[in-house]
Amino acid sequence: MSDRTPLMAGNWKMNLDWKQSLALVEDLGGQLKGKDLGGVEAAVLPPFVNIRTVQTAVDAGKLPIAYGGQDLSAHESGAYTGEVSGPMLTALGCTYVAVGHSERREYHGETEQVTNAKVNAALAAGLTPILCVGEGLDERKAGKQVEYTLAQVEGGLEGLTAEQVGGLVIAYEPVWAIGTGEVATPDDAQEVCAAVRDWVRTAHGDQAADAVRVLYGGSVKSSNVAELMERPDVDGALVGGASLKAEEFAKIVGYRAA
Ligand code: PEP
């Protein structure tokens, strides 16, 4: 087992209004609080408008749940209608922010340059970026999953120092496994997560490679999380659908206790 703290991060996507978010975080917190989670860290990424609600519930209940945004602006402030900045998230007590999720890349045309700018904006605001990378079905069928994913890693992390890279979270999310019910095999996940860590080792050295947390994401559930987590380079999971049910997500976070 590595020294890295496993992270289970729930991406709520564009689901739940503020009342539903409150109910979910309180339910989840109630299930996690006081339990021995074996050192596993839990985080949720609510829609922007529900972060304040989650903050209030976490603070009031002293819930063992970190939280963050699903995206952020590449800019710090100013005339960028509709955007939310890193400092705004920091002021709400956020720890994490997802950057370059495949749905941002696909539906909002986010390029490698935009993703890199957002990673930098997150770091400048004191947030931990969760950089999302991963191949589509075509690249997987062509056996190009490693080179495709590493190109995204390289683009997203351009210009970062070894220290910054070591503090990051990188989520390997094969697009064909997101929301489809089709989970990658543990070997598939390990192959690419190990390649990501090897890339970090070559580019930024042992310390960064040993510290960076590499998550797997794509149809993770309580029934498959433990075998994914057995792989040495899988340090946690980014969870979509299964994070919307308190009991199911609590089981994922508590996989070591199960
Ligand atoms: C995701 O959106 O990051 C994700 C992994 O979704 P799901 O778990 O629903 O496949």
Side-chain angles (χ1 to χ4, degrees), residues 11 13 101-103 132 173 177-181 216-220 238-243:
N11 174 13
K13 308 196 186 190
H101 190 280
S102 62
E103 288 151 18
C132 303
E173 299 205 297
I178 296 180
T180 59
Y216 166 77
S219 299
V220 172
L238 185 54
V239 184
S243 71

Side-chain angles (χ1 to χ4, degrees), residues 142-168:
K144 303 239 186 275
Q145 62 274 14
V146 169
E147 68 179 85
Y148 185 91
T149 302
L150 293 187
Q152 289 183 328
V153 171
E154 193 169 357
L157 303 188
E158 203 186 314
L160 266 61
T161 64
E163 197 186 343
Q164 287 173 323
V165 173
L168 289 182

Side-chain angles (χ1 to χ4, degrees), residues 71-159:
D71 182 35
L72 82 168
S73 175
H75 307 283
E76 199 184 321
S77 66
Y80 301 100
T81 302
E83 299 215 359
V84 171
S85 73
M88 292 173 186
L89 296 176
T90 310
L92 286 168
C94 289
T95 302
Y96 295 105
V97 63
V99 174
H101 190 280
S102 62
E103 288 151 18
R104 299 297 312 171
R105 294 177 191 260
E106 186 179 348
Y107 306 135
H108 301 272
E110 290 194 3
T111 61
E112 235 54 90
Q113 286 86 343
V114 170
T115 299
N116 180 244
K118 290 186 173 190
V119 167
N120 278 289
L123 291 169
L127 298 162
T128 299
I130 302 176
L131 173 67
C132 303
V133 294
E135 82 285 354
L137 192 54
D138 289 349
E139 295 86 25
R140 166 64 54 173
K141 280 185 177 159
K144 303 239 186 275
Q145 62 274 14
V146 169
E147 68 179 85
Y148 185 91
T149 302
L150 293 187
Q152 289 183 328
V153 171
E154 193 169 357
L157 303 188
E158 203 186 314

Side-chain angles (χ1 to χ4, degrees), residues 26-80:
E26 284 184 336
D27 193 354
L28 179 64
Q31 301 201 35
L32 297 179
K33 202 172 165 177
K35 299 258 166 66
D36 178 6
L37 301 174
V40 177
E41 184 184 355
V44 296
L45 309 179
F48 287 136
V49 292
N50 300 337
I51 293 178
R52 175 71 175 148
T53 301
V54 166
Q55 176 191 32
T56 306
V58 166
D59 287 354
K62 297 191 173 26
L63 307 180
I65 302 172
Y67 53 90
Q70 299 171 14
D71 182 35
L72 82 168
S73 175
H75 307 283
E76 199 184 321
S77 66
Y80 301 100

